[in-house]
Amino acid sequence: MIYEGQNLTVKLLDNGFAELVFDAAGSVNKFDRQTINELDEATQAIAGNSDIKGVVVRSGKPAFIVGADITEFTGMFAQPEEEVLEWVSKTSQVFDRFEDLPVPTIAAINGFALGGGCEMALACDLRVADTTSAIGLPEVKLGLMPGFGGTVRLPRIIGSDNALEWMTTGKDRKGQQALEEGAVDAVVTPDKLLTAAFSMVADAAAGKINWQARRAAKTSPLKLNKNEAMMSFSTAQAFVAAQAGKHYPAPHMMVETVKNASVLGRAGALALENQGFVKLAKTDAAKAQIGIFLADQLVKGKGKKLAKASTKAIKQNAVLGAGIMGGGIAYQSAVKGTPVVMKDIAQPALDLGLSEAAKILGKGMQRGKVTPEVMAKTLNAITPTLEYSAIKDADLVIEAVVENPKVKGIVLAETEQHVSEDAIICSNTSTISINQLAESLKKPERFCGMHFFNPVHRMPLVEIIRGEKTTDDTIAAVVAATLQMGKTPIVVNDCPGFLVNRVLFPYFAGFSKLLLDGADFVAVDKVMEKQFGWPMGPAYLLDVVGMDTADHAASVMADGIPERMQKIANDPVTLLFSAKRLGQKNGKGFYNFGTDKRGRPSKEAAAEAYELIAPNAAAKQDFSSEEIIARLMIPMANEAIRCLEEGIVASAAEADMALLYGLGFPPFRGGIFRYIETMGLANFVELADKYAHLGPIYQITDGVREMAAAGKSYFA
């Protein structure tokens, strides 16, 4: 053994070639500080051994190297800028020293080679991948850029255009595509990976492959003339501007770095990469996106742990209430392999539910993502019925009828009479108390909420709502079923609106109050979309939700939390609802919806909406962007804080992920709690106090005031 560390070893084989094997103690290989130090020590050991003719780098696990250890980033990036720069510079130099070994090197890539794993492969002279491989530089998804030489080596291996497309989108490549783009030199089946790697490195050592020329290209300036460079980088800049916009600095920094480094050798190019990496590490966007990654890991980990604890297998689902929502849930179950019975009391509703599933599949076929076989198999897994007898074998029943407690109560009671003793019953309600609905059941311990978001096939979140009498076994089984359906479950406790809608309606209330004070809904939408980053402003979102749905839900919230959520006099939402302006569902709300001359969907601010609001509102006036954002976001933040303090949601991280997955909260802001923390708790308290006179939804809790005074964090 030439070198033996905790996470990697180097062994000299009888044929004169060394094998550098990454095999950490955990389930995957990743670059933490320990592994980077060991790579440097291993490199020195190889360099000092004159018997070595070449090096094969491989993994002892099903994946090559999944990237850097993200858990080390938050503490590291909080250090002064010069310390972060020193760390990334020293780390990238470890990869340089490996690249400079006096013998040919080859990476044998199996499974994931992402981020630092990809950069390790790029530091080798040759790369062979197997058919399980996925290779890429996804740092942009963390608000970062490659920091271990990726922006230097990849453009010099596959060209700047391809490299920038890889890096600015963060999409990985399967082995064959990586081969076609020049990132790897061969693709083989897994059983032939090591044989191919040793054969190739032997050819290089024998002079049959000019590995020195390949290495020289990676350490030299890019081979682009002025016109080629201008075209390449201007095209990349335009692409990034269109795709990423102004809120995501990482892809812009990548283009700028590769452009400026194109005329430099390795040392100069790496210095620019190091500087760009550090600038990005200090941005709010990077903190937010790293926070999302860690929160997502937490949520997924909790979900898997709960699912593992489940003692009940879910082999058949049933959905009560067809239509668009019921059809969406049935589709999601069927497409992920669990047969589903879809029951309704009317044939037209069943037809609508089936057509909803067929429409989703049809669009997938148009995009080439769904085959006719998958479409047929999915539709055949949905059994439409008008009879309760068809649900007798269901393991999980999801009630998705009209959002009315009396109707739901009747349906739930009837359901209990037709299912087995151990079947689980759920309600897909968005606001109605699970404890209230549970009163309709003889066995409330097997009942919980299962709140899907519309459109079901696109929205990743399912809120699992625990009632007072819901058992742990029931929650575990429903979490397992949710994962089976390809969704992300977040467990919350019962309250009006649960988590997502409870924090959404104070936001809508802030919007309504702002309109009554004279704001223009188009101006508000523009600020909340373009500057804050929501996918839709509040007026547009209300049109999508439907004024009837929003008005009804506001009434439920007012009944449940009267101290803060009493209905607003002359609420614009109620005014539009009363005028039968329901939003997109009937083509008229705050906006009028139609089609343009080319047949594309269009929306225009409705004069009728202005006319309905004006007699009940103050004279029109302009509000600053800062005031618009504050007046909408403070109520949402306050209610999220109350949910955490009351134990409705278990952690700030889970609340952040629920709003990201359920509402489309801007990822570059990281979620509602990350947004508050980025602002600073003391600054948030000061801002909220400025607007406290507007009513209870603007008034902060004693808890957040105390946390701000003590300098505490929601993520500690």
Side-chain angles (χ1 to χ4, degrees):
M1 192 74 69
I2 293 173
Y3 176 82
E4 188 168 11
Q6 293 177 27
N7 299 326
L8 59 89
T9 58
V10 181
K11 183 179 180 183
L12 181 60
L13 304 180
D14 294 340
N15 57 11
F17 293 98
E19 202 177 35
L20 192 161
V21 183
F22 286 87
D23 198 0
S27 59
V28 294
N29 295 317
K30 54 189 173 183
F31 277 117
D32 53 16
R33 292 190 182 214
Q34 174 73 25
T35 305
I36 288 165
N37 288 339
E38 288 185 13
L39 174 62
D40 201 22
E41 291 170 0
T43 299
Q44 292 174 43
I46 294 167
N49 191 315
S50 57
D51 295 330
I52 296 173
K53 297 190 292 186
V55 180
V56 172
V57 180
R58 70 170 180 89
S59 167
K61 300 189 179 301
F64 185 67
I65 303 167
V66 296
D69 185 353
I70 311 302
T71 60
E72 291 187 346
F73 280 9
T74 47
M76 190 186 304
F77 291 174
Q79 295 172 355
E81 201 165 305
E82 57 272 18
E83 290 185 32
V84 183
L85 180 60
E86 183 182 7
W87 167 79
V88 74
S89 298
K90 284 184 175 179
T91 302
S92 61
Q93 286 163 17
V94 171
F95 287 78
D96 292 355
R97 284 192 282 275
F98 179 85
E99 186 172 49
D100 293 339
L101 283 170
V103 293
T105 57
I106 185 167
I109 304 166
N110 62 316
F112 291 110
L114 303 176
C118 178
E119 289 172 297
M120 181 70 231
L122 296 175
C124 294
D125 301 312
L126 303 159
R127 286 156 294 283
V128 57
D130 75 17
T131 48
T132 71
S133 63
I135 304 161
L137 295 169
E139 288 85 353
V140 69
K141 296 175 184 177
L142 298 175
L144 299 170
M145 61 193 273
F148 303 159
T151 69
V152 180
R153 295 183 178 97
L154 190 62
R156 286 156 177 78
I157 292 171
I158 66 171
S160 59
D161 291 348
N162 280 339
L164 285 169
E165 205 274 330
W166 278 46
M167 294 187 290
T168 59
T169 63
K171 294 177 183 175
D172 57 44
R173 266 49 175 184
K174 296 297 182 187
Q176 188 58 37
Q177 189 179 354
L179 176 65
E180 290 165 5
E181 295 183 25
V184 300
D185 301 292
V187 177
V188 296
T189 55
D191 58 310
K192 295 179 180 174
L193 180 62
L194 281 184
T195 303
F198 278 107
S199 174
M200 198 175 287
V201 79
D203 283 348
K208 296 176 184 177
I209 297 174
N210 191 346
W211 57 274
Q212 294 95 336
R214 288 164 168 265
R215 189 179 293 185
K218 286 192 289 173
T219 57
S220 305
L222 273 169
K223 292 178 172 61
L224 290 172
N225 63 41
K226 284 187 179 180
N227 286 340
E228 288 171 334
M230 185 181 70
M231 284 293 293
S232 175
F233 298 121
S234 61
T235 301
Q237 285 166 335
F239 173 80
V240 166
Q243 296 295 316
K246 65 180 181 179
H247 296 302
Y248 296 90
H252 299 278
M253 179 70 79
M254 288 178 195
V255 177
E256 195 64 21
T257 300
V258 174
K259 175 186 172 184
N260 293 337
S262 63
V263 295
L264 303 174
R266 186 181 72 182
L270 276 169
L272 290 181
E273 179 185 272
N274 295 160
Q275 291 159 18
F277 181 91
V278 174
K279 285 178 185 174
L280 290 173
K282 289 293 184 180
T283 61
D284 290 340
K287 290 172 192 169
Q289 288 174 265
I290 291 167
I292 288 171
F293 177 86
L294 296 173
D296 187 49
Q297 296 296 103
L298 170 74
V299 166
K300 285 176 178 169
K302 287 185 88 165
K304 287 176 183 174
K305 188 175 180 181
L306 274 169
K308 199 173 179 181
S310 175
T311 57
K312 181 173 177 60
I314 306 296
K315 296 177 182 176
Q316 182 173 314
N317 292 326
V319 178
L320 306 181
I324 291 175
M325 178 59 83
I329 297 171
Y331 158 82
Q332 195 63 38
S333 176
V335 81
K336 292 298 181 180
T338 305
V340 59
V341 173
M342 184 169 63
K343 187 210 170 289
D344 206 284
I345 57 172
Q347 187 61 44
L350 289 175
D351 294 340
L352 179 59
L354 282 172
S355 69
E356 177 66 13
K359 185 170 74 175
I360 296 165
L361 289 160
K363 286 182 179 176
M365 283 185 68
Q366 288 173 11
R367 295 196 304 271
K369 294 187 176 181
V370 174
T371 64
E373 292 77 17
V374 168
M375 184 169 187
K377 187 178 179 182
T378 302
L379 292 176
N380 286 335
I382 302 173
T383 304
T385 183
L386 297 171
E387 303 297 329
Y388 265 121
S389 58
I391 70 169
K392 65 181 176 62
D393 296 323
D395 300 301
L396 175 72
V397 181
I398 303 165
E399 167 274 304
V401 302
V402 63
E403 189 77 351
N404 179 302
K406 288 183 180 177
V407 176
K408 284 183 179 288
I410 291 167
V411 171
L412 289 168
E414 289 175 349
T415 300
E416 195 170 32
Q417 295 171 27
H418 291 91
V419 295
S420 65
E421 285 293 309
D422 67 340
I424 292 168
I425 303 172
C426 299
S427 177
N428 175 51
T429 174
S430 54
T431 53
I432 302 169
S433 165
I434 293 303
N435 292 327
Q436 179 188 344
L437 292 175
E439 291 171 6
S440 303
L441 297 169
K442 293 175 183 175
K443 294 180 68 177
E445 63 274 11
R446 59 157 163 184
F447 175 67
C448 69
M450 195 177 186
H451 178 205
F452 290 82
F453 291 77
N454 204 14
V456 174
H457 66 290
R458 285 188 184 163
M459 302 300 282
L461 177 67
V462 176
E463 272 184 308
I464 311 296
I465 305 102
R466 182 194 292 271
E468 287 175 0
K469 296 181 179 177
T470 308
T471 64
D472 289 344
D473 285 346
T474 296
I475 293 296
V478 175
V479 165
T482 304
L483 291 170
Q484 237 171 267
M485 293 172 76
K487 297 298 178 185
T488 299
I490 293 182
V491 179
V492 299
N493 285 317
D494 188 33
C495 70
F498 319 130
L499 173 62
V500 174
N501 281 330
R502 180 171 161 180
V503 303
L504 176 62
F505 276 84
Y507 170 86
F508 282 153
F511 169 63
S512 291
K513 287 173 181 284
L514 194 58
L515 295 194
L516 294 175
D517 285 346
D520 178 352
F521 64 81
V522 173
V524 175
D525 271 6
K526 187 176 180 181
V527 167
M528 297 312 291
E529 290 170 6
K530 303 295 183 187
Q531 295 194 38
F532 193 81
W534 282 105
M536 290 177 241
Y540 186 18
L541 178 57
L542 281 159
D543 275 352
V544 171
V545 168
M547 235 55 67
D548 51 346
T549 302
D551 185 72
H552 169 75
S555 298
V556 174
M557 299 303 294
D559 291 342
I561 311 177
E563 65 274 20
R564 285 191 305 285
M565 298 196 197
Q566 280 289 357
K567 291 199 80 173
I568 299 164
N570 299 315
D571 188 335
V573 174
T574 305
L575 294 173
L576 266 63
F577 170 57
S578 300
K580 294 184 170 54
R581 298 188 65 83
L582 305 183
Q584 276 190 339
K585 64 182 67 176
N586 72 345
K588 51 188 181 181
F590 284 101
Y591 297 92
N592 287 327
F593 297 88
T595 53
D596 61 18
K597 292 177 182 178
R598 297 183 181 180
R600 295 176 301 189
S602 65
K603 72 178 176 73
E604 292 182 2
E608 301 92 331
Y610 285 118
E611 290 166 10
L612 285 166
I613 297 167
N616 303 285
K620 278 279 175 70
Q621 64 168 306
D622 293 331
F623 290 84
S624 69
S625 300
E626 291 76 18
E627 184 164 2
I628 289 170
I629 291 169
R631 288 190 58 169
L632 270 64
M633 294 309 301
I634 291 168
M636 177 178 275
N638 276 339
E639 206 59 39
I641 289 167
R642 289 179 189 277
C643 285
L644 184 62
E645 290 181 353
E646 293 170 19
I648 301 303
V649 65
S651 67
E654 285 163 276
D656 278 355
M657 294 313 298
L659 267 60
L660 257 101
Y661 285 154
L663 294 179
F665 199 97
F668 68 90
R669 295 194 184 275
I672 190 66
F673 281 98
R674 190 69 60 179
Y675 166 65
I676 298 166
E677 293 249 341
T678 300
M679 186 188 304
L681 262 62
N683 292 332
F684 173 73
V685 169
E686 185 182 347
L687 183 67
D689 283 346
K690 180 181 172 183
Y691 293 97
H693 64 281
L694 293 176
I697 59 174
Y698 290 90
Q699 291 159 11
I700 63 170
T701 68
D702 291 339
V704 70
R705 201 179 290 280
E706 289 165 8
M707 283 189 67
K712 291 182 178 177
S713 167
Y714 286 110
F715 297 98

